[in-house]
């Protein structure tokens, strides 16, 4: 029986700055969480994380998944360290998907608070992205994203750098993004905050998809602007003073940890 062996990647734990290792473990854990939740698209899509200033100084360096691996195969050591042009900086045997990093690079480079960027093609997310009216203010989760959602029109596969200025104009300062006909995206100051935003956006899309399937948009009870604005003010899950998603992500990482049967399957390697 033929098997396709992965390149051997040595542990980088004792070869990189402790802050880089911490970032690697956190990001690898997040990839496993996405796999646990079913937010995968074969070997495609990305979560990128900027390395702390203590690691890269004035340069902007990032971690990204090795292209060709499923999210369940990502580990702290096989993550690829790259610059803004997507060039590998750590001698990784894995390539980087240029179509994936074009959007991420534009956001990381131009939005000072964008230390983490996440992008998905979930069924619910893409479905809502294909609707003319997009995500409608009709449920508990959309009400927590009042005036937080940006839309960007579809321009094809994201491999052309000239799309970046239009993308950034579409996003403005909004951290939840619906890429029309394409999927969902979030960005934030930390990985947990970015995850919390994407999780809320994903749930909003799932509920809308389920609700509309029962009777169409005309049967849905809308949430008023005032109530939605109040919900967003009252919801503290994105606020750094209240953990900004850390508790939720930590709980999911514990679920992932419990699912690891053999030590060699760990994302901490």
């Amino acid at each position: 029986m033929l098997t396709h062996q992965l390149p051997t990647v040595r542990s980088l734990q004792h070869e990189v700055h402790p802050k880089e290792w911490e970032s690697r473990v956190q990001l690898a854990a997040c990839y496993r969480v996405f796999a646990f939740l079913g937010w995968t698209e074969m070997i495609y899509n990305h979560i990128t994380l900027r390395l702390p200033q203590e690691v890269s100084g004035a340069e902007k360096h990032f971690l990204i998944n090795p292209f060709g691996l499923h999210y369940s195969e990502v580990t702290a050591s096989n993550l690829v360290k790259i610059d803004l042009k997507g060039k590998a900086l750590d001698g990784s045997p894995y390539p980087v998907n240029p179509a994936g990093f074009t959007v991420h690079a534009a956001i990381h480079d131009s939005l000072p608070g964008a230390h983490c960027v996440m992008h998905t093609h979930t069924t619910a997310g893409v479905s809502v992205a294909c609707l003319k009216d997009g995500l409608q203010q009709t449920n508990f989760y959309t009400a927590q994203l009042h005036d937080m959602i940006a839309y960007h029109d579809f321009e094809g596969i994201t491999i052309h750098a000239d799309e970046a200025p239009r993308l950034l104009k579409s996003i403005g300062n909004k951290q939840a993004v619906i890429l029309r006909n394409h999927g969902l995206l979030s960005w934030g100051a930390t990985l947990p905050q970015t995850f919390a935003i994407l999780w809320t956006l994903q749930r909003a899309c799932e509920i809308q998809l389920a609700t509309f399937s029962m009777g169409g948009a005309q049967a849905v009870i809308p949430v008023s602007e005032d109530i939605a604005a109040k919900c967003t003010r009252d919801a503290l899950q994105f606020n750094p003073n209240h953990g900004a998603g850390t508790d939720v992500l930590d709980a999911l990482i514990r679920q992932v940890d419990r699912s690891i049967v053999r030590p060699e399957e760990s994302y901490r390697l």
Side-chain angles (χ1 to χ4, degrees), residues 18-72:
K19 288 287 186 180
E20 177 174 337
W21 183 250
E22 182 180 329
S23 296
R24 283 177 172 273
V25 172
Q26 184 186 53
L27 182 56
C30 190
Y31 273 105
R32 299 299 185 91
V33 166
F34 272 44
F36 178 78
L37 294 173
W39 291 3
T40 59
E41 188 76 358
M42 301 297 284
I43 61 172
Y44 304 103
N45 295 160
H46 307 279
I47 313 164
T48 53
L49 182 64
R50 182 177 176 182
L51 287 169
Q53 199 169 21
E54 298 97 313
V55 176
S56 53
E59 299 294 321
K60 293 182 178 179
H61 295 164
F62 310 89
L63 297 173
I64 192 171
N65 53 316
F67 188 48
L69 298 192
H70 189 267
Y71 282 12
S72 62

Side-chain angles (χ1 to χ4, degrees), residues 138-150:
T138 59
N139 66 62
F140 178 81
Y141 297 100
T142 55
Q144 296 176 61
L145 295 167
H146 181 262
D147 200 32
M148 286 183 61
I149 301 173

Side-chain angles (χ1 to χ4, degrees), residues 60-62 81-89 101 105:
K60 293 182 178 179
H61 295 164
F62 310 89
K81 180 162 66 172
I82 57 176
D83 62 16
L84 274 169
K85 294 181 179 179
K87 178 184 176 183
L89 303 172
F101 193 59

Side-chain angles (χ1 to χ4, degrees), residues 12-235:
L12 300 179
Q13 182 172 5
H14 302 297
E15 298 184 21
V16 299
H17 191 287
K19 288 287 186 180
E20 177 174 337
W21 183 250
E22 182 180 329
S23 296
R24 283 177 172 273
V25 172
Q26 184 186 53
L27 182 56
C30 190
Y31 273 105
R32 299 299 185 91
V33 166
F34 272 44
F36 178 78
L37 294 173
W39 291 3
T40 59
E41 188 76 358
M42 301 297 284
I43 61 172
Y44 304 103
N45 295 160
H46 307 279
I47 313 164
T48 53
L49 182 64
R50 182 177 176 182
L51 287 169
Q53 199 169 21
E54 298 97 313
V55 176
S56 53
E59 299 294 321
K60 293 182 178 179
H61 295 164
F62 310 89
L63 297 173
I64 192 171
N65 53 316
F67 188 48
L69 298 192
H70 189 267
Y71 282 12
S72 62
E73 297 176 308
V74 173
T75 68
S77 293
N78 70 27
L79 285 163
V80 186
K81 180 162 66 172
I82 57 176
D83 62 16
L84 274 169
K85 294 181 179 179
K87 178 184 176 183
L89 303 172
D90 55 4
S92 172
Y94 290 101
V96 172
N97 182 7
F101 193 59
T102 301
V103 167
H104 290 241
I107 296 171
H108 280 302
D109 191 30
S110 301
L111 301 177
H115 288 269
C116 183
V117 179
M118 300 179 176
H119 173 47
T120 59
H121 287 176
T122 61
T123 298
V126 177
S127 296
V128 171
C130 292
L131 291 176
K132 183 178 180 180
D133 293 329
L135 187 63
Q136 298 180 33
Q137 203 165 265
T138 59
N139 66 62
F140 178 81
Y141 297 100
T142 55
Q144 296 176 61
L145 295 167
H146 181 262
D147 200 32
M148 286 183 61
I149 301 173
Y151 290 85
H152 178 64
D153 289 339
F154 185 57
E155 297 189 24
I157 298 174
T158 53
I159 57 175
H160 302 290
D162 66 348
E163 184 179 352
R166 295 184 292 277
L167 171 69
L168 293 167
K169 183 178 180 181
S170 297
I171 292 175
N173 63 355
K174 296 182 178 179
Q175 293 176 264
V177 185
I178 295 179
L179 302 170
R180 293 191 186 278
N181 310 101
H182 186 168
L184 306 181
L185 182 144
S186 65
W187 59 271
T190 65
L191 188 149
Q193 182 191 55
T194 308
F195 176 82
I197 294 168
L198 184 63
W199 184 86
T200 306
L201 182 60
Q202 169 67 18
R203 285 295 289 148
C205 290
E206 290 172 349
I207 300 300
Q208 177 166 309
L209 188 65
T211 304
F212 282 19
S213 73
M214 294 188 294
Q218 70 277 5
V220 177
I221 304 168
V223 176
S224 71
E225 288 289 308
D226 288 347
I227 294 298
K230 179 174 179 286
C231 286
T232 299
R233 288 195 303 270
D234 290 347

